[in-house]
Amino acid sequence: GPASTASSPGFAADTRVGINLDDLAQSGSVVFTDAMKQASPWSSDRALALDDSGNVTRLASGQSAQTVIYPFAVYSSGDYTLLYDGRGRIDVDPQTGSITQAANGRAIVHVSARLGYGIRLRLAATDAANYVRNVRLILPGFGAVYKREPFAPSFIARLAGFNVLRFVHWSHADTSAVPLTWPMRPSVGQFTQAAPGGVAWEYQIALANAVGADPWFVVPVGVTNFYVTQLAALVRARLDPRLHPMFEYADGAW
């Protein structure tokens, strides 16, 4: 008779429990200590001039740009720290909260959490010669550590029981079908990690390290051979050697 699948070598012994992580744009979790990493891309009623990282380089007369953070997530009220480089002005939606302190490139935003509404910011002005960029909105209590602790402790704690993290929705490998080259990959310096290009591989690796779970990377359809070899080299250099990476080409490519 046919052999039992459950008795096949290596099958029954693998008791790891894995999880597919939500797309950041639709996540119900606060993932990063810098809330801007979960912001929607800047939008406007007219076409926006953007740099390669998604920052608005100039605004037309009477134009502004908007972004929304946490439209589906449960987040906390409190004093968030808004930071940015360049010259310009960022306003806060009155239903989001209010700015209690402001100086050049720095403000304290008192946020009143509203489930289903999120934190809404408006870029009211930017200097084309030194435009607003590197925007950060730091969670209360993380101003001194957000650079070395990029992930919210509550998010890490929620993943503590899982042995494998599958990043299909973070890399958008379930939707992307265009050729991609390594220089076009999502970067840690882009305006938001919730952009159409997906989350930077560096953050995917860093999350696996922080949780202590094996990462299951899913590369988008159309990437070049060089892209794949560079990704493998990045994982080799940055992943905790005690973890075991897995790689998949696209999502259900069969």
Side-chain angles (χ1 to χ4, degrees), residues 44 50 67 184 189 209 243 251:
S44 180
L50 302 173
T67 184
M184 294 172 60
N209 288 340
L243 301 178
D251 177 42

Side-chain angles (χ1 to χ4, degrees), residues 140-163:
F142 289 92
V145 299
Y146 75 94
K147 290 182 180 179
R148 66 175 182 270
E149 297 181 17
F151 300 107
S154 58
F155 183 64
I156 298 296
R158 290 182 61 185
L159 298 175
F162 294 100
N163 310 111

Side-chain angles (χ1 to χ4, degrees), residues 113-143:
R114 291 185 59 195
L115 185 62
Y117 191 79
I119 300 173
R120 302 187 177 217
L121 305 179
R122 183 173 73 99
L123 181 63
T126 192
D127 183 343
N130 186 16
Y131 58 86
V132 171
R133 59 198 181 278
N134 191 25
V135 184
R136 291 143 288 161
L137 185 65
I138 311 305
L139 270 57
F142 289 92

Side-chain angles (χ1 to χ4, degrees), residues 13 25 27 68 88 152 225:
S27 178
V68 183
N225 290 344

